[in-house]
Amino acid sequence: MLTKSDRTKQHIVEQAAGLFNRKGFAGTSMSDIMEATGLTKGGLYGNFESKELIAIQAFDYAFGRVMEELTFKLRQQDKMADKLHALCDYYRNYSVHSPVEGGCPIMNFGLEADDTFPELRKRVAAAIDQQLNDLERIIRAGQKKGELKPDIDPELTANLIYTQIDGAIMMAKTTGQHKRLNRVLDHLKNWIDIALRT
């Protein structure tokens, strides 16, 4: 059971995640978080020493939501190529329908953190590494089971899939033309069938 303090912290993090993801770290004020949570300044600072600490936990929460949904979708498939298809399907319309308001937390938090917020940048980099490692494991498992071609480079293939999806999300979000993301995902699924499946 969560204590009252833990529940308050969780409430702050959940509400702040959408704010940071939508407005960015610099664009989100403590007043915004106060308004979203219904807490006073003392209520916020009694649970978090700074906006930076809230942002770090908000990113962890947002990324956790993405991974929870994505993992559920991938576990529904037995074959590794089908898991790669399910990955593409998960990101369909993602630029407008993501688990946390504002779009892709890796893209939104990562672009802004860069050199101005090193601790957050490290968190985002670790999240990217986690997703790439998960993709590599799927590809290696597919090769081991004879479902994916043995001569493909798992690390390079994971990077190609990830960067195409991430780039397409950014392009769709920035231009407001969300069909561009879906077209890239359709192309990726076709490429998986032609270039990766045995």
Side-chain angles (χ1 to χ4, degrees):
M1 291 289 291
L2 292 175
T3 65
K4 183 179 179 184
S5 174
D6 289 337
R7 286 195 303 272
T8 302
K9 285 182 179 177
Q10 184 65 21
H11 175 64
I12 293 168
V13 166
E14 288 177 7
Q15 296 305 311
L19 287 172
F20 286 125
N21 202 36
R22 192 176 76 251
K23 298 176 70 173
F25 177 76
T28 301
S29 67
M30 290 299 271
S31 296
D32 293 330
I33 299 171
M34 286 165 52
E35 184 179 337
T37 59
L39 295 170
T40 63
K41 187 178 283 189
L44 286 182
Y45 283 110
N47 288 282
F48 291 97
E49 293 176 15
S50 66
K51 187 172 86 165
E52 286 79 5
L53 288 176
I54 299 173
I56 288 167
Q57 289 199 27
F59 171 74
D60 289 346
Y61 167 77
F63 178 64
R65 289 281 314 277
V66 172
M67 291 306 294
E68 183 181 329
E69 288 188 3
L70 184 54
T71 300
F72 176 77
K73 195 162 187 74
L74 297 185
R75 282 184 178 159
Q76 294 176 0
Q77 305 299 327
D78 294 322
K79 296 191 180 225
M80 298 304 122
D82 292 339
K83 287 183 186 289
L84 296 178
H85 272 238
L87 173 79
C88 294
D89 290 337
Y90 173 75
Y91 285 106
R92 189 166 296 279
N93 298 314
Y94 189 78
S95 50
V96 285
H97 299 295
S98 59
V100 177
E101 181 186 5
C104 178
I106 286 180
M107 182 176 71
N108 293 338
F109 281 80
L111 287 175
E112 187 180 27
D114 198 20
D115 295 324
T116 61
F117 194 163
E119 185 55 39
L120 183 58
R121 186 185 61 76
K122 286 179 194 172
R123 284 295 230 285
V124 176
I128 291 170
D129 286 342
Q130 180 182 334
Q131 289 193 314
L132 284 170
N133 290 336
D134 289 347
L135 259 175
E136 262 193 73
R137 276 194 290 275
I138 290 170
I139 294 162
R140 289 185 193 282
Q143 289 176 311
K144 189 174 180 181
K145 292 180 175 186
E147 296 170 8
L148 299 176
K149 292 178 181 174
D151 58 340
I152 58 174
D153 180 330
E155 183 181 359
L156 175 60
T157 304
N159 274 277
L160 288 171
I161 292 170
Y162 187 89
T163 54
Q164 284 186 70
I165 292 173
D166 205 41
I169 291 169
M170 188 204 62
M171 180 175 59
K173 183 76 174 169
T174 303
T175 64
Q177 297 189 37
H178 307 290
K179 66 181 181 183
R180 290 178 168 175
L181 167 61
N182 295 336
R183 289 186 69 194
V184 169
L185 295 172
D186 289 338
H187 169 77
L188 255 181
K189 288 175 75 172
N190 189 52
W191 177 77
I192 288 164
D193 289 338
I194 294 170
L196 305 187
R197 281 191 197 262
T198 52

